[in-house]
Amino acid sequence: MRLERISFVKRLEAYGEAIKLPDQPILEGRLLRMVGLTLEAEGLQAAVGSRCLVINNDRYHPSQVEAEVMGFSGGKLFLMPVGSLAGIAPGARVVPLADTGRLPMGTSMLGRVIDGAGRALDGKGGMKAEDWVPMDGPVINPLKRHPISEPLDVGIRSINGLLTVGRGQRLGLFAGTGVGKSVLLGMMTRFTEADIIVVGLIGERGREVKEFIENILGEESIKRSVVVASPADDAPLMRLRAAMYCTRIAEYFRDKGKNVLLLMDSLTRFAQAQREIALAIGEPPATKGYPPSVFAKLPSLVERAGNAEAGGGSITAFYTVLSEGDDQQDPIADAARGVLDGHIVLSRRLAEEGHYPAIDIEASISRVMPQVVSAEHVRNSQRFKQLWSRYQQSRDLISVGAYVPGGDAETDLAIARQAEMVGYLRQGLNESEDLAHSAALLASVFNPRPGG
């Protein structure tokens, strides 16, 4: 069916920019059916990834919803909506949108909270879009990326001293529920040396979004931050877009020469959104219900972070990974470890003991630490981990009084320095410890002051 000029205009409310349907004649399709979250349409041609508008012109219940083409079979297109389908009926018109889904960018985003489409959620009015960019950022030749060669001070003593982060590194924060990952992310946003902070709250509870912004992020940090929020009740495609959008924002500021801190909570919700979409369009599950496309999406997302070419900016990224049932062999956790430059594991046992941040030093690693700190710092870090591990191995014997002092010199030293090591690993919510002081305190654990 031929459709002459269409007058419908969809406005992006946050910026006041109009996204219009094509002025020239286009092919219009019809909605055949809806199965789960998937729409099937026929009668039009559109590429995978392009956007369409599903319009129901019922005079009593007019409605429209944007959808993205996720696949095709024969003459049918499979579409995934980004909003509510209430009011959409069989036979609704399906019209391709003229634009390619370019996203608004600019410094006016700083201090604001937006959704996965760039619309303001904070009720502070419109923003000025300085640029409109595609969702997919420029691909950087891996041989031209500036190597990770300088440390990044995150203000957390145990990370600075034992798991030193390099500027441009990508780390995973692995944790079950309720062990303090959001609090740890909030500390990083307040204490980390970064020009711009981009926070992606993907698939979290709506209540946590406001609490994170007001109680954890803080008034000062929000001034240099952009928060992209897509709570759990959003459509899976919107959650997917929000994760890619916050990554694109970080790329935009990196290309401007800024040092960006990207915090995404969580990578698991991103994978689950892709799983919902893939299963809805008929992709077979592979590993614990996750289709193969999920494991292809993860590296394509995290590889976009990192350093730019020499002389450019950087993106240092922290991705939280939810370990279901504290299972570190969860398929998403396992896949994430393979594509990230290190991982920080939070322990439920430590959290239950009131040990915060509850970082499991034995299970955590920063793969770039030897490249960004001195050899002495690396040796002190390894020595700390050796003594901490030796104490944990003998912990049960020590607690019941079965260990006899003098039986093993290393264990004796681990017991003697245990109080200092625990004190080093613990840190208050509002305490900040810079990199140099963290390294000095680490050395003092093995060279205590007289009488210490």
Short mmCIF file of all heavy atoms in Angstrom, two decimals, residues 56-63:
data_model
loop_
_atom_site.label_atom_id
_atom_site.label_comp_id
_atom_site.label_asym_id
_atom_site.label_seq_id
_atom_site.Cartn_x
_atom_site.Cartn_y
_atom_site.Cartn_z
N ASN A 56 -2.32 3.07 15.77
CA ASN A 56 -3.70 2.60 15.78
C ASN A 56 -4.60 3.85 15.66
O ASN A 56 -4.65 4.68 16.57
CB ASN A 56 -4.00 1.84 17.07
CG ASN A 56 -5.41 1.26 17.07
OD1 ASN A 56 -5.94 0.96 16.00
ND2 ASN A 56 -6.00 1.13 18.24
N ASN A 57 -5.31 3.96 14.55
CA ASN A 57 -6.10 5.17 14.29
C ASN A 57 -7.55 5.06 14.74
O ASN A 57 -8.40 5.80 14.26
CB ASN A 57 -6.07 5.50 12.78
CG ASN A 57 -4.76 6.15 12.37
OD1 ASN A 57 -4.07 6.72 13.22
ND2 ASN A 57 -4.41 6.04 11.11
N ASP A 58 -7.83 4.14 15.63
CA ASP A 58 -9.19 4.03 16.15
C ASP A 58 -9.62 5.38 16.75
O ASP A 58 -8.92 5.95 17.60
CB ASP A 58 -9.22 2.94 17.24
CG ASP A 58 -10.63 2.63 17.71
OD1 ASP A 58 -11.29 3.55 18.24
OD2 ASP A 58 -11.06 1.48 17.54
N ARG A 59 -10.76 5.88 16.32
CA ARG A 59 -11.18 7.22 16.75
C ARG A 59 -11.45 7.30 18.24
O ARG A 59 -11.36 8.36 18.85
CB ARG A 59 -12.43 7.65 15.98
CG ARG A 59 -13.64 6.75 16.17
CD ARG A 59 -14.82 7.24 15.35
NE ARG A 59 -15.25 8.57 15.77
CZ ARG A 59 -16.31 9.20 15.27
NH1 ARG A 59 -17.00 8.61 14.28
NH2 ARG A 59 -16.66 10.38 15.71
N TYR A 60 -11.76 6.15 18.85
CA TYR A 60 -12.05 6.15 20.29
C TYR A 60 -10.81 5.83 21.13
O TYR A 60 -10.73 6.24 22.28
CB TYR A 60 -13.16 5.15 20.60
CG TYR A 60 -14.46 5.48 19.90
CD1 TYR A 60 -14.91 4.70 18.83
CD2 TYR A 60 -15.23 6.57 20.29
CE1 TYR A 60 -16.11 4.99 18.18
CE2 TYR A 60 -16.42 6.88 19.64
CZ TYR A 60 -16.84 6.09 18.58
OH TYR A 60 -18.02 6.39 17.93
N HIS A 61 -9.87 5.05 20.54
CA HIS A 61 -8.67 4.67 21.30
C HIS A 61 -7.42 4.86 20.42
O HIS A 61 -6.72 3.89 20.11
CB HIS A 61 -8.76 3.21 21.77
CG HIS A 61 -9.94 2.92 22.64
ND1 HIS A 61 -11.13 2.44 22.14
CD2 HIS A 61 -10.11 3.07 23.98
CE1 HIS A 61 -11.98 2.30 23.14
NE2 HIS A 61 -11.39 2.67 24.27
N PRO A 62 -7.13 6.10 19.99
CA PRO A 62 -5.94 6.32 19.17
C PRO A 62 -4.67 6.12 20.01
O PRO A 62 -4.62 6.51 21.19
CB PRO A 62 -6.08 7.78 18.74
CG PRO A 62 -6.91 8.41 19.80
CD PRO A 62 -7.86 7.36 20.27
N SER A 63 -3.68 5.49 19.46
CA SER A 63 -2.43 5.26 20.18
C SER A 63 -1.32 4.98 19.18
O SER A 63 -1.58 4.61 18.03
CB SER A 63 -2.56 4.09 21.17
OG SER A 63 -2.91 2.91 20.50
#
